[in-house]
Amino acid sequence: MHTFVFCPFQGCLATTHSKVIHKLDIPSFDWPVAPFPRLKYPLEEFTRENAQEEARCLEEVEDLIVKWRQKRKPVAGIIIEPIQAEGGDNHASPDFFRSLRNIARKHGCAFHVDEIQTGGGCTGKFWAHEHWGMDDPADIVSFSKKLLSGGYYQKDELQADKPYRIFNTWMGDPSKTLFLAEVLNVIRRENLLEEVTRSGKALLNGLYELQAQYPGLLSRARGQGTFCAIDLCDPATRDRLLLQARDKGVHLGGCGDVSIRFRPALVFKEYHVHIFLNIFNDILAQNK
């Protein structure tokens, strides 16, 4: 006999698909999953191909909504990341997100923007969905990481109608709120969003140069602010470079199958970029 423990994490795990190990032995829900666009980079050089890829994904989203309604399992909401982070730092255009938002409205689906990785300023704006240029970008926005605690905000019409429908032990953490208030003060006082934009541009340009220098190792450099990534030629090489970087005092992370992601702090400055690029160049030279 097997005993299964059902918990709130089931809903979260049902929406993640980047690593099988995260879902091992966890019962999941029969929820539709639509593809995130797989774009070519640099984005400005592949506008036609990328527009076709985004149109294909949008068409599949709408098809899934219709099919699930026919199965009498109507889609209640769409969950999307402004940059699909754990899945490989995949980007999409503002037009894609505007169209997806319109599909959600058309079919009465709540539109949930997951800013857990992208929120807090790392893309050069406090919320990555600000890059879309929309007056009404989301019904729900979730956040965590740089904002020191997990949470969300939503439109008034989605407010729970009774107290304790949304409940946890601490009902929020006042101490973290005090810390966050000072973090926000520092971001404003030190103009850190502008700093992120400057250092992010330097980082991405440096990755472009290394990509041209080591075409057999690197490809698909991409980013917004300091939220950058680059692909390696294969998973084994990616994992080896991550270890070599750590041995030189640089902490990087992997995402997707072959990507390295860069997640520096908001105080990361242009001179930090050059220090990193010199170290990364040395590591790449050892592996070419």
Side-chain angles (χ1 to χ4, degrees), residues 73-84:
K73 295 180 178 180
V75 173
I78 296 172
I79 303 175
I80 188 78
E81 292 177 283
I83 302 170
Q84 190 188 41

Side-chain angles (χ1 to χ4, degrees), residues 265-286:
L266 300 183
V267 294
F268 189 68
K269 300 185 185 303
E270 285 190 68
Y271 74 86
H272 294 127
V273 174
H274 300 305
I275 292 171
F276 162 72
L277 290 172
N278 286 335
I279 294 173
F280 199 43
N281 180 57
D282 291 343
I283 295 169
L284 293 167
Q286 296 172 15

Side-chain angles (χ1 to χ4, degrees), residues 188-208:
R188 286 189 288 264
R189 187 169 64 243
E190 300 188 10
N191 297 314
L192 291 185
L193 297 184
E194 291 86 350
E195 191 75 64
V196 165
T197 299
R198 284 192 296 271
S199 56
K201 183 178 180 181
L203 176 58
L204 188 56
N205 285 336
L207 293 175
Y208 285 147

Side-chain angles (χ1 to χ4, degrees), residues 12-236:
C12 299
L13 287 170
T15 63
T16 187
H17 301 274
S18 57
K19 291 184 176 67
V20 174
I21 191 67
H22 292 163
K23 304 173 72 129
L24 190 64
D25 294 332
I26 303 293
S28 191
F29 296 107
D30 181 22
W31 287 349
V33 180
F36 197 95
R38 176 75 173 177
L39 303 187
K40 295 182 178 181
Y41 303 92
L43 297 177
E44 58 272 13
E45 294 182 12
F46 297 96
T47 53
R48 183 177 59 84
E49 296 92 331
N50 289 340
Q52 291 173 346
E53 168 66 1
E54 291 184 341
R56 179 189 69 84
C57 293
L58 290 167
E59 183 178 354
E60 187 156 348
V61 169
E62 196 150 20
D63 285 346
L64 285 169
I65 292 173
V66 171
K67 287 176 182 176
W68 249 254
R69 185 182 298 128
Q70 292 170 346
K71 293 166 60 174
R72 297 186 178 181
K73 295 180 178 180
V75 173
I78 296 172
I79 303 175
I80 188 78
E81 292 177 283
I83 302 170
Q84 190 188 41
E86 185 71 19
D89 265 34
N90 298 310
H91 293 247
S93 71
D95 282 342
F96 171 81
F97 291 105
R98 294 185 197 112
S99 297
L100 188 63
R101 180 70 169 115
N102 288 335
I103 289 172
R105 285 196 193 97
K106 175 182 175 182
H107 293 279
C109 305
F111 196 63
H112 177 164
V113 178
D114 174 359
E115 292 258 19
I116 289 185
Q117 289 215 31
T118 54
C122 51
T123 68
K125 293 187 181 293
F126 195 82
W127 301 112
H129 67 253
E130 293 179 68
H131 291 284
W132 305 343
M134 297 173 62
D135 294 331
D136 183 26
D139 297 310
I140 308 169
V141 175
S142 51
F143 55 84
S144 191
K145 299 188 186 293
K146 282 184 173 62
L147 300 181
L148 306 185
S149 184
Y152 65 93
Y153 62 89
Q154 81 290 318
K155 287 187 170 181
D156 289 343
E157 54 264 35
L158 295 178
Q159 176 70 36
D161 60 350
K162 295 180 179 60
Y164 297 107
R165 287 192 65 182
I166 299 171
F167 179 80
N168 60 49
T169 303
W170 296 105
M171 297 296 285
D173 187 339
S175 66
K176 292 295 191 299
T177 305
L178 290 172
F179 294 154
L180 176 58
E182 185 55 29
V183 167
L184 297 177
N185 288 335
V186 171
I187 290 173
R188 286 189 288 264
R189 187 169 64 243
E190 300 188 10
N191 297 314
L192 291 185
L193 297 184
E194 291 86 350
E195 191 75 64
V196 165
T197 299
R198 284 192 296 271
S199 56
K201 183 178 180 181
L203 176 58
L204 188 56
N205 285 336
L207 293 175
Y208 285 147
E209 291 175 6
L210 291 175
Q211 178 176 280
Q213 188 176 347
Y214 301 99
L217 286 174
L218 302 177
S219 63
R220 302 181 76 240
R222 54 206 184 271
Q224 196 167 54
T226 56
F227 201 100
C228 294
I230 197 164
D231 283 4
L232 274 294
C233 54
D234 56 64

